[in-house]
Amino acid sequence: MITNYVEKLKQYINENEEISTFDLVGIMGVHNSFLILLLILSVLNIILAPLPINSFILGIPLIFFSICYLFGFKEVIFLKKLFKKSVKCIAWRKHIDKVSNYIEKIFVISKPRCYYLSQLHRRFISGFILFIISLLIFLPIPFINTSGSVTMIMVLLGIIQKDGLFLTIGYLLFAMHIIFSSVLIYLVLG
């Protein structure tokens, strides 16, 4: 399932010169796109971690899609100026194959298991966690982006695959990430 969406994204990036948030939702479809887009953008955030403006470029769509998931939007009314802005696909072309390979490897180890633990998932709780992580990824503070993306990937795999083990690990990583981020922000600002 997820690999089909990644292939659609890869095809779009290879065939077009620019891509926008509006295009991403069009490629994935509105109904099931938010979690899948969050997963793809989180993996891409890890791959592009060394780039300095990465947190800003990927942070905005992460925040937007996490809000959409949190509130259960089925249809999205786009603010034309904000979501029609596009970035060059050339930057994504170099990395989309890596994203595809990583997602295929991730889905091999994630499978439906620990049914009782997967019942921990509630849209509001998971959506709130994804939103907070997205906000932290958006901040231009070193080391928060990558650890936040790993946390987000664990929570997303737990939700998408109904994997209670990954969901529980994601929630625990979230708690650790909040503590780590608080200390780091205190050290940077204090």
Side-chain angles (χ1 to χ4, degrees):
M1 177 178 122
I2 186 75
T3 52
N4 295 339
Y5 293 112
V6 175
E7 290 303 318
K8 284 182 190 178
L9 181 62
K10 188 189 305 185
Q11 180 181 357
Y12 185 90
I13 287 171
N14 288 327
E15 292 175 357
N16 295 288
E17 293 301 314
E18 294 184 338
I19 190 166
S20 67
T21 304
F22 186 78
D23 296 330
L24 284 172
V25 174
I27 293 165
M28 302 295 167
V30 174
H31 296 292
N32 54 0
S33 64
F34 301 131
L35 293 174
I36 295 165
L37 285 170
L38 283 169
L39 181 66
I40 291 170
L41 290 172
S42 296
V43 172
L44 193 60
N45 190 36
I46 291 173
I47 292 169
L48 299 176
L51 299 178
I53 197 161
N54 177 39
S55 63
F56 182 74
I57 292 173
L58 294 176
I60 291 173
L62 283 171
I63 291 169
F64 172 72
F65 293 131
S66 63
I67 288 172
C68 290
Y69 179 73
L70 173 64
F71 294 112
F73 294 149
K74 296 295 180 196
E75 291 186 30
V76 180
I77 301 170
F78 292 98
L79 303 171
K80 291 189 184 201
K81 284 189 174 188
L82 183 60
F83 295 108
K84 292 264 183 177
K85 291 207 184 247
S86 56
V87 294
K88 301 262 184 232
C89 286
I90 240 166
W92 288 44
R93 283 185 191 134
K94 295 184 267 184
H95 305 290
I96 193 66
D97 289 326
K98 288 181 185 178
V99 170
S100 179
N101 290 336
Y102 286 131
I103 286 181
E104 287 175 14
K105 289 176 184 176
I106 288 170
F107 271 87
V108 168
I109 60 172
S110 175
K111 56 187 171 243
R113 61 182 157 200
C114 302
Y115 175 75
Y116 294 111
L117 292 176
S118 70
Q119 297 304 310
L120 292 172
H121 166 64
R122 298 288 178 260
R123 178 182 291 275
F124 182 75
I125 295 169
S126 297
F128 182 73
I129 287 172
L130 293 172
F131 173 68
I132 296 298
I133 294 170
S134 298
L135 284 176
L136 290 172
I137 289 172
F138 181 72
L139 296 174
I141 298 174
F143 308 114
I144 290 181
N145 298 5
T146 307
S147 61
S149 291
V150 169
T151 302
M152 186 174 275
I153 289 169
M154 296 301 275
V155 171
L156 288 166
L157 286 174
I159 297 168
I160 294 170
Q161 294 286 92
K162 296 183 181 10
D163 189 341
L165 180 63
F166 273 46
L167 187 64
T168 306
I169 292 170
Y171 285 170
L172 292 173
L173 284 175
F174 172 71
M176 291 180 354
H177 186 67
I178 290 295
I179 293 168
F180 174 72
S181 299
S182 301
V183 169
L184 203 55
I185 290 171
Y186 176 76
L187 291 173
V188 168
L189 298 177

